[in-house]
Amino acid sequence: MYINGEWISTVDYVELKSPYTKEVIAKIPRATKEDVSAAVEAADRAQQAMASLTAIERANILYSIAQAFAKKRLEAAKIISQESSKPLKFALGEIDRTIETYRFAGDEAKRLVGEIIPMDAAKTGQNRFAYTLEQPLGIIAAITPFNFPQNLVAHKVGPAIAAGNTIVLKPASQTPLSALFLAKIIDSTNLPKGAFNVLLGSGGIVGDALVENDKVKLITFTGSPAVGIQIKEKSGLKRVALELGSNSGLIVDRNVNIPYVANKCVTGAFSNQGQVCISLQRVYVVEDAFDEFVEEMIAKTQDLKIGSPLDETTDISAMIHEKEQQRAKQWIAEAIAEGASLLYGGKVEDGILLPTILANVDRKSKVSCQEVFAPIVSINKISSIEEGIEAINDSNYGLQAGIFTNDIQTAFTASKKLSVGGVVINDVPTYRVDQMPYGGVKQSGTGKEGIKYTIHEMTETKLVIWNQEGAL
Ligand code: NAP
């Protein structure tokens, strides 16, 4: 592990296995509660040094992290593929985004501005001059998921450094190697010792100890709603930012280019085996377009290459754990028993769940109303756009939604009525770039990521008021 700028070992190790080959790829230390305290203490001691860095110094550290990733692009991507089974082409895409995310963070470090308050807008505000300062919040605990082990970490580490904070990172147990790779990169920058720490080990022990530590000022968590809710309940008065799951939906109107739309949908539904928070899970297609859409979806899904994550031509590989794959298969079986038709996939071949297309899925089936987080997409027929909007909104989640339409009024109405954090017109809900505000409503979370937005959750706004009356 990486604590106070030192590489730390422990007595207790666990084997890390490749989700695809099932071979042991590393032995990973497991942090104890004492290690958690040591990391928080190191982050606490580093606060002064961190807060005294200038904006340009913080920006340059972030740019040098970006540069190191650019130099080691393939190495970083291969680590992601090995430990999480993300096909290499998507892992390379993730590293490209990670580079951008750290660059955006560097830019934002130089734009961290307060505001001037018009005090004399109040009767008693005459002769007062006031402004705000955005000061570092302190120690940030970042708890991250397996599915984007570099870029989602960058969304926390980047803004935390940009704002002058110190960090303790707890990555997902299945993706510790990416976190250690980042620690090596950060170790070679000018970041003060102790300002960035990595703890490995189970969420139950390390995560809990971090959440309960009084010195931590903000817990920034990306992961499942179940864990997010637990964290919120245990966090007391700490700030908590939660980026949780979804069951993202898309509406397909008539008179759109169906082969183009189906192509986008195949990528949106099956990238990284559907283990993406904005993975396309539910598609609602107007009657006139339904048959052509289904035909195109099946044809394009058949073209996907199934295989090893380290092969650059692979589109789909193994899910993160065998038990997750079993759960997904069980949900498919339940949906079929509840009336859905299986149009493609639905079975495991060579340890890989085939991309699966279901039609006429009951809204109450788990593959529809819960987060499926697997390569499974449901396609349902609708008789009006309103029906599609109502179906998408009939969900406990609301991260992003999409609509393909050539009718301006329809697009406008959908953008107003869909209960989600982001509406994508003429693309799948799976679309994201890293500077945009990103975050959901309902059980999809609280707060927004996208560096400019996160950074303000990671600062303390201090007001300074000058009384000019007494000036000589
Ligand atoms: P997860 O099981 O919730 O785990 C996320 C992190 O929380 C891991 O580091 C995990 O550690 C840790 N954790 C587990 N129990 C904990 C506890 N009691 N206290 C504190 N931390 C704890 O999620 P996942 O399976 O890795 O990721 C998939 C989920 O993330 C999906 O729901 C997906 O939608 C969501 N996600 C959301 C976004 C977004 O931006 N909205 C982006 C990506 C993913 P261990 O690994 O050791 O259990």
Side-chain angles (χ1 to χ4, degrees), residues 102-224:
Y102 281 113
R103 282 192 187 137
F104 286 134
D107 297 344
E108 289 303 331
K110 296 184 281 185
R111 290 190 199 124
L112 191 54
V113 291
E115 60 177 347
I116 291 177
I117 312 296
M119 298 296 279
D120 60 358
K123 279 185 191 158
T124 53
Q126 227 178 354
N127 289 320
R128 299 294 192 280
F129 175 70
Y131 52 86
T132 61
L133 299 172
E134 294 299 315
Q135 296 194 316
L137 191 61
I139 303 172
I140 307 235
I143 304 179
T144 51
F146 74 84
N147 63 339
F148 285 85
Q150 282 301 359
N151 197 36
L152 292 181
V153 168
H155 270 283
K156 302 184 184 310
V157 172
I161 293 177
N165 294 300
T166 62
I167 309 136
V168 179
L169 168 67
K170 198 309 249 183
S173 291
Q174 186 58 40
T175 54
L177 302 180
S178 290
L180 295 178
F181 187 81
L182 171 65
K184 268 192 210 154
I185 286 180
I186 289 185
D187 194 58
S188 67
T189 69
N190 294 327
L191 195 78
K193 255 179 183 278
F196 174 74
N197 306 274
V198 179
L199 289 169
L200 306 177
S202 86
I205 294 171
V206 181
D208 261 5
L210 272 176
V211 171
E212 284 163 9
N213 192 300
D214 285 340
K215 287 193 169 162
V216 170
K217 289 288 182 295
L218 164 76
I219 300 149
T220 168
F221 171 81
T222 300
S224 60

Side-chain angles (χ1 to χ4, degrees), residues 246-252 261-262 265-266 268-270 274 279-286 290 293-294 297-298 301 328 331-336 338-344 346 354-382 388 391-392 402 428-429:
S246 196
N247 59 349
S248 299
L250 171 77
I251 298 168
V252 182
V261 175
C265 287
V266 167
F270 302 133
S279 190
L280 175 61
Q281 184 170 329
R282 302 176 291 153
V283 190
Y284 299 99
V285 188
V286 293
F290 187 82
F293 179 77
V294 164
M297 279 293 286
I298 294 172
T301 304
W331 285 18
I332 294 169
E334 281 175 29
I336 294 169
E338 286 156 359
S341 328
L342 177 67
L343 302 184
Y344 192 82
L354 297 187
T356 298
I357 304 176
L358 295 164
N360 307 320
V361 179
D362 192 292
R363 278 193 200 183
K364 292 199 174 64
S365 293
K366 286 183 189 145
V367 291
S368 180
C369 69
Q370 296 195 21
E371 181 181 37
V372 76
F373 223 59
I376 303 171
V377 67
S378 302
I379 310 175
N380 279 10
K381 205 181 273 186
I382 48 172
I392 289 181
V428 284

